[in-house]
Amino acid sequence: MGKKLDGRLLANQLQEKLKQEVSEWKLKGQRLPKLVVILIGEDVGSQVYVRNKEAAAKKIGFHSQVDRLPETTSEEELLKRITQYNEDQQIDGILVQLPLPKHIDEERILLAIDASKDVDGFHPLNMGKLFIGQPDKLPCTPYGIMELLRANDIELAGKNAVIIGRSNIVGKPMAQLLLMADATVTITHSRTKNLKEITQNADIIVVAIGQAEFLTADYIKEGAVVIDVGMNRHENGHLVGDVNFENVSPKASYITPVPGGVGPMTITMLMEQTVNNARIK
């Protein structure tokens, strides 16, 4: 049976360290970190993510402001608000919750955020720094996965890593971080032929394909490390990942559960990058 990579446990440990640090700042009368999250519309998944981010910021003890704006908010109105936050020296992190309504240009919005306050790590400047091997702000999910692997002493150098999914949020930055850790990386996706043959040779598999319980035991070799980034709901409302946990777990050496694996680490790295901006200031 594969050992669970407990993201919730590690996230709590890291958040406690941040809480202690922020508490010391407060005792010294220093300015506390501040994160602003902009949420547009009524997307249910986005509402849950934002509530979790609010709860983490409150636990750590720094300022968190959530702007809940209607679906009808114009692109210009959103850009004006971002400009105000860019100029506000009391704000350390700005996050626009994705996805955005169809009438708003996502790329234009991400470009508008001051790259130094982009604690989500999606600004093209931060992506560019990552891909030339000089990372500053990192996309939080891949960052969280790397911390989880590191905390569990999982060797990456020289290992074959396969990523299923090529998104800008997970797949591509995940590949770069694994390359920087000296893994040999293959990116696969929905058009990949002979996927099973590729994954069966992997020491580490990161699954971010957005299909409920897609990965089964016949896709992996004995002892593989399996990281499940997926979050899907069955018709009964039960939350599952992109990996069939019960089926794959006996064959894996390590595996992340859903929930309680990658998700808590994503939020924690967002908190870390916000606090780090305040450290720098």
Side-chain angles (χ1 to χ4, degrees), residues 126 128-138 176-177 180:
N126 288 324
K129 285 181 177 180
L130 171 60
F131 280 96
I132 62 168
Q134 296 177 10
D136 184 3
K137 306 293 182 295
L138 293 172
Q176 176 63 8
L177 287 172
M180 289 169 64

Side-chain angles (χ1 to χ4, degrees), residues 79-136:
L79 287 167
K80 185 178 177 183
R81 196 170 287 240
I82 289 169
T83 299
Q84 289 173 348
Y85 294 147
N86 282 341
E87 293 170 356
D88 188 338
Q89 292 305 304
Q90 301 300 308
I91 293 171
D92 301 290
I94 304 167
L95 186 154
V96 177
Q97 184 65 48
L98 305 178
L100 292 169
K102 287 188 171 64
H103 66 276
I104 297 178
D105 183 339
E106 192 173 288
E107 186 179 354
R108 191 178 177 206
I109 297 305
L110 292 178
L111 270 170
I113 298 169
D114 181 337
S116 69
K117 295 186 179 186
D118 165 43
V119 287
D120 234 357
F122 296 154
H123 192 286
L125 180 60
N126 288 324
M127 282 288 196
K129 285 181 177 180
L130 171 60
F131 280 96
I132 62 168
Q134 296 177 10
D136 184 3

Side-chain angles (χ1 to χ4, degrees), residues 32-57:
L32 300 184
K34 183 173 181 180
L35 171 68
V36 172
V37 179
I38 303 172
L39 173 63
I40 299 176
E42 303 296 326
D43 182 84
V44 176
S46 293
Q47 303 258 9
V48 172
Y49 288 136
V50 169
R51 278 201 302 273
N52 289 341
K53 287 162 187 171
E54 272 187 291

Side-chain angles (χ1 to χ4, degrees), residues 125-177:
L125 180 60
N126 288 324
M127 282 288 196
K129 285 181 177 180
L130 171 60
F131 280 96
I132 62 168
Q134 296 177 10
D136 184 3
K137 306 293 182 295
L138 293 172
C140 295
T141 296
Y143 186 10
I145 291 169
M146 293 301 289
E147 289 299 307
L148 196 52
L149 293 170
R150 195 173 293 120
N152 286 275
D153 297 319
I154 294 170
E155 182 63 46
L156 298 176
K159 300 294 184 180
N160 287 327
V162 173
I163 299 163
I164 306 178
R166 53 180 167 179
S167 71
N168 291 333
I169 294 171
V170 180
K172 292 174 187 174
M174 188 77 244
Q176 176 63 8
L177 287 172

